[in-house]
Amino acid sequence: MAASDTAEILLVPVVDVNWLVFAPFDPGRDFRIDPPKVEQSIGETRELGRIMLDLTEGRAVLTPHSGTYCRTGYYEAPLLEVYREWTARGADVAVHLHEEIKGGGVRFGEEDHVREVFADCHRRLVEGGIVPVAYRGGHNAYAPFMNAVLEEHGIGVDLSCLPGLDKPEREAIWTEGGLSAYALPQDPRAPVGQGTPSPIVEVPIGCDGAGTDYRNFLQIEQSELDNHKRVWRVIRERAQREGRAQIVHMLFHTGSMGRPDWVTRLLDFLEFVPTEGGSFVGAVEAAGAFRRQRDRKAA
């Protein structure tokens, strides 16, 4: 029997390929945006794959940053070569847009603009020998037209949801988002199960369902290991209560490789997961596991 049929939690390890200082919404840091460090990211991404993919048996999703302040740097050689090294080990790659304006809002709601930059990222990956299978919106953004954009590019998985988040000024509205994988409605902001489902499977970030502060969800850099274990156990209890595996993701960033304490926290958490009812899956595997759950329930 496959791990996806027996585990209590299926976890998608998501790795954002980025640089460390990017704070376009943070007045406390003067909306600081340091220049991207693409050359440094080559070594960081390669090293993270070396130490991480053995622990996850190759299951992971790379989400390279493309946005207002670094449009193509992470979608060109030689980083494409590094992504191919990851995919050769079994990892997936996702398009990841960051359409922020420093101290001045976002462009995630501009359909023509988003379609153009999405298509360019998708094209660059495909021409580099990489077929993207998922999407993740920067700062959890997902405009209502994104279902159609993903479908048009043959992408069936989204990783943007932070359940409960309500940031309309960022196009990040997940007040009706599910705590485990679900089929996005045609209106992605509608309650789970309402109306006609789209073909897009949403895999939310793992969370305790008690809020949208950093302590409530599995962004590895933003709270201590003991808290991540607490959140994990809440998710596991939910799986046991509902009688079905929870399908969620966690988040780490290549720009964090310069912080040994954060790297240690990541590795310790990855070692913890299989000891506490979890299995690692990629984006496509996660979507397949959700569909099997749905079909069993309907049978």
Side-chain angles (χ1 to χ4, degrees):
M1 191 176 280
S4 57
D5 292 323
T6 60
E8 294 171 293
I9 307 175
L10 302 181
L11 181 68
V12 181
V14 173
V15 174
D16 188 349
V17 185
N18 78 330
W19 70 105
L20 187 60
V21 180
F22 183 76
F25 298 139
D26 188 352
R29 290 194 282 174
D30 194 27
F31 308 107
R32 182 176 168 188
I33 300 171
D34 286 5
K37 297 182 178 180
V38 176
E39 290 299 321
Q40 181 174 323
S41 294
I42 295 168
E44 291 172 339
T45 307
R46 183 168 276 138
E47 175 64 9
L48 183 56
R50 186 188 68 78
I51 64 177
M52 172 182 170
L53 292 177
D54 283 343
L55 290 174
T56 67
E57 298 183 332
R59 272 70 169 191
V61 181
L62 284 175
T63 65
H65 179 117
S66 174
T68 309
Y69 303 101
C70 183
R71 179 57 65 200
T72 61
Y74 290 100
Y75 284 75
E76 298 172 339
L79 264 168
L80 292 175
E81 179 182 343
V82 180
Y83 305 159
R84 289 193 296 270
E85 293 170 8
W86 279 62
T87 60
R89 298 277 306 273
D92 294 328
V93 176
V95 174
H96 178 46
L97 299 183
H98 265 279
E99 305 307 317
E100 303 91 352
I101 303 167
K102 179 177 179 178
V106 301
R107 301 190 68 185
F108 285 111
E110 299 176 25
E111 184 169 356
D112 289 347
H113 169 74
V114 170
R115 283 181 175 277
E116 179 182 351
V117 296
F118 188 102
D120 185 62
C121 288
H122 188 276
R123 175 187 61 79
R124 288 172 181 274
L125 290 172
V126 170
E127 290 180 354
I130 299 160
V131 178
V133 299
Y135 175 71
R136 187 167 76 85
H139 295 285
N140 309 103
Y142 196 86
F145 56 79
M146 287 305 300
N147 282 359
V149 175
L150 269 57
E151 288 184 57
E152 290 163 13
H153 288 84
I155 289 176
V157 187
D158 181 63
L159 300 157
S160 303
C161 178
L162 170 54
L165 188 66
D166 188 15
K167 297 284 186 181
E169 71 279 8
R170 302 182 190 181
E171 295 288 347
I173 301 175
W174 297 103
T175 54
E176 304 292 342
L179 297 173
S180 180
Y182 64 100
L184 277 174
Q186 292 293 345
D187 173 3
R189 294 171 179 175
V192 176
Q194 184 178 99
T196 305
S198 78
I200 309 301
V201 175
E202 182 64 49
V203 181
I205 196 165
C207 67
D208 61 13
T212 58
D213 294 332
Y214 282 128
R215 68 178 306 275
N216 298 118
F217 58 93
L218 297 177
Q219 184 168 337
I220 299 303
E221 296 95 335
Q222 297 296 343
S223 66
E224 299 301 321
L225 179 63
D226 285 347
N227 183 61
H228 291 313
K229 290 181 177 180
R230 178 196 64 80
V231 172
W232 181 269
R233 289 173 176 135
V234 171
I235 299 170
R236 189 176 186 187
E237 290 168 5
R238 187 187 308 140
Q240 295 167 344
R241 184 172 64 252
E242 296 181 2
R244 65 186 182 109
Q246 299 293 289
I247 307 170
V248 298
H249 76 264
M250 51 143 278
L251 180 60
F252 191 72
H253 297 76
T254 61
S256 299
M257 289 296 288
R259 287 286 303 268
D261 54 331
W262 290 351
V263 176
T264 297
R265 185 185 304 165
L266 169 69
L267 300 180
D268 287 348
F269 183 71
L270 294 176
E271 290 178 344
F272 164 83
V273 164
T275 71
E276 292 283 336
S279 287
F280 301 111
V281 291
V284 174
E285 288 177 289
F290 161 73
R291 294 186 181 105
R292 288 193 297 275
Q293 278 188 347
R294 180 186 58 191
D295 293 347
R296 284 196 295 266
K297 184 176 180 181

